[in-house]
Amino acid sequence: MISSKKERIGWYFYDWANSAFYTTVVTVFLGPYLTSIAESAADADGYINFIGLPVYAHSYFTYIVSASVFLQIFLLPYIGSVADNSGRKKSLLGIFAYIGSFSTMGLYFLQDDLYYLGGLLFIIANLSFGASVVIYNSILNDISPEEERDTVSSVGWALGYLGGGIVLAVNLVLFSGADSFGIETGTAIRISLCSAGAWWAVFTVIPMLTIRRDEIIRTKKSINHFKKGISDFILTLKDAANHPKTLTFLIAYLLYNDGVQTVIVVSSQFGNKELGLGIDVLTQVILMVQFVAFGGALLFNLLASRLGTLRAIVIGLFIWIVVIIYAYAFLYSEIGFFILGACIAVVMGGTQALSRSMYSKLIPPGKEASYFSIYEISERGTSWLGPLLFGLALQLTHSYRIAILSLIVFFVLGLIILLKLRIQKK
């Protein structure tokens, strides 16, 4: 079915809506703020008690991120099954968008030593974010033919960076001028976290009004979607074995994008704790990243049209490896952090947008949501091995530099596997 221009615009706007959560919450404010709350509740050795386990306060946020994504391994296949077998993509998108956005707004109440509350609300929000993006990504195949997906995917990512950047810019003004507004810094951060949820909720209305109505699939017997979700997940993995290019790309993607997401998630914490940069500086850098990434996504779309999607992604991964080495060995100043941010911005949107469109071309027809439920395990804000490795390295060595260097393994392994893939340019 050919989509209308209005429907595509509505689809773009979900990226615009949810990117506020990704930028303001995941990338900038929650990491340092939740870490500071955990620190205030820590014992003399810097450890907190979390479900009976001693956890290094500086590692708490990365462990929470990892836990939220580990849970997605069980949730997302179920969601993919429901979407593919019921035809209720639009309804599911709305349900999870609003669970996630309201959980994010609940972060306004994160203060004192309530690190448990922050962890719980973030897990719910990130689970919902991941589930909604599974549905959102699967709709890409419904609204664009294969030859247009690089462009459609790139435009969606670009508008997402623009929307997330606007929210972050407003929050930077609020945070930087907290005193003049007569509020405390902590209050400004909590308002910023809440605003991301509000933005997400408000602009989700647009795709809800413009994306085509659910084409409900009627079955003669009721389906236990929980059991079918598990069986579909297993069947999808088995089916992927019959599509070697799909499986090879998926494995490569799950590795290198886990590294991408972890770098993005921990960059603010690294700048704050290792370099001693204030949240105002961090916000300026991330804000710059948003607007440069807007152009980066479009630039890599142009690069893909000239060299092919696969080669464009490979170029991006080489740049990511250089970024990791730079952060470990040469990053010691505020200016250096801005340089790091600019390099990340150029490749971030491009590698992610092209990866999504390339994967969509490799998915067997009619199984979009099921395949994207696996893909989403390492989508925006949803990596888990990376944060786990970073947190463990930090807890064992108390060195942010060693922790950031440990992430290079994801890019190297992903690149090696990706180079084995041979897809002819169409």
Side-chain angles (χ1 to χ4, degrees), residues 9 20-21 39 47 51 66 74 81 88 90 94 116 143 162 166 240 250 267 281 316 357 366-367 402:
I9 292 174
F21 170 77
E39 283 181 304
Y47 285 79
I51 59 175
S66 185
F74 303 97
S81 172
R88 298 180 184 273
K90 179 176 178 179
Y116 270 102
I143 65 171
L162 187 59
I166 290 172
L250 181 60
S267 60
V281 174
S357 63
K367 300 180 180 180
I402 293 177

Side-chain angles (χ1 to χ4, degrees), residues 79-257:
I79 300 304
S81 172
V82 173
D84 282 339
N85 291 287
S86 69
R88 298 180 184 273
K89 289 184 179 181
K90 179 176 178 179
S91 299
L92 289 168
L93 177 65
I95 289 170
F96 286 104
Y98 284 106
I99 292 175
S101 60
F102 281 103
S103 298
T104 303
M105 284 187 270
L107 291 171
Y108 175 80
F109 301 100
L110 177 59
Q111 55 185 324
D112 300 326
D113 59 350
L114 298 177
Y115 61 90
Y116 270 102
L117 175 64
L120 177 62
L121 287 175
F122 178 76
I123 286 173
I124 294 173
N126 209 27
L127 278 171
S128 301
F129 176 84
S132 71
V133 174
V134 165
I135 309 303
Y136 169 71
N137 284 340
S138 71
I139 295 174
L140 173 63
N141 286 28
D142 299 332
I143 65 171
S144 60
E146 182 175 322
E147 65 272 13
E148 296 181 12
R149 284 182 204 154
D150 281 353
T151 299
V152 173
S153 181
S154 296
V155 171
W157 276 97
L159 287 178
Y161 285 123
L162 187 59
I166 290 172
V167 179
L168 192 58
V170 173
N171 288 329
L172 175 59
V173 172
L174 176 65
F175 178 83
S176 301
D179 291 338
S180 60
F181 289 118
I183 58 177
E184 297 179 350
T185 299
T187 302
I189 292 175
R190 291 189 294 112
I191 292 174
S192 297
L193 294 172
C194 183
S195 73
W199 178 279
W200 186 1
V202 169
F203 283 102
T204 294
V205 172
I206 296 177
M208 290 297 99
L209 292 176
T210 55
I211 293 177
R212 71 187 61 163
R213 295 177 60 185
D214 289 331
E215 296 180 0
I216 300 173
I217 299 173
R218 304 294 181 182
T219 59
K220 293 182 179 180
K221 60 179 181 179
S222 60
I223 297 176
N224 184 324
H225 287 294
F226 181 75
K227 290 182 179 180
K228 187 164 180 55
I230 297 174
S231 63
D232 279 358
F233 179 66
I234 296 173
L235 289 174
T236 299
L237 292 178
K238 290 181 178 179
D239 185 59
N242 297 321
H243 304 277
K245 289 182 178 179
T246 307
L247 184 60
T248 299
F249 178 78
L250 181 60
I251 293 172
Y253 175 81
L254 291 178
L255 284 168
Y256 73 71
N257 202 54

Side-chain angles (χ1 to χ4, degrees), residues 318-332 340 401 404-405 407-408 411-412:
F318 274 112
I319 297 175
W320 274 109
I321 291 172
V322 172
V323 163
I324 293 293
I325 295 173
Y326 173 78
Y328 169 74
F330 303 104
L331 180 55
Y332 289 94
L340 177 74
R401 294 188 181 276
I404 201 73
L405 182 63
L407 301 178
I408 201 170
F411 296 100
V412 172

Side-chain angles (χ1 to χ4, degrees), residues 33 45 122 227 302 350 370 406 416 424:
Y33 185 61
D45 295 322
F122 178 76
K227 290 182 179 180
L302 178 62
S370 293
S406 69
I416 290 172
Q424 293 182 347

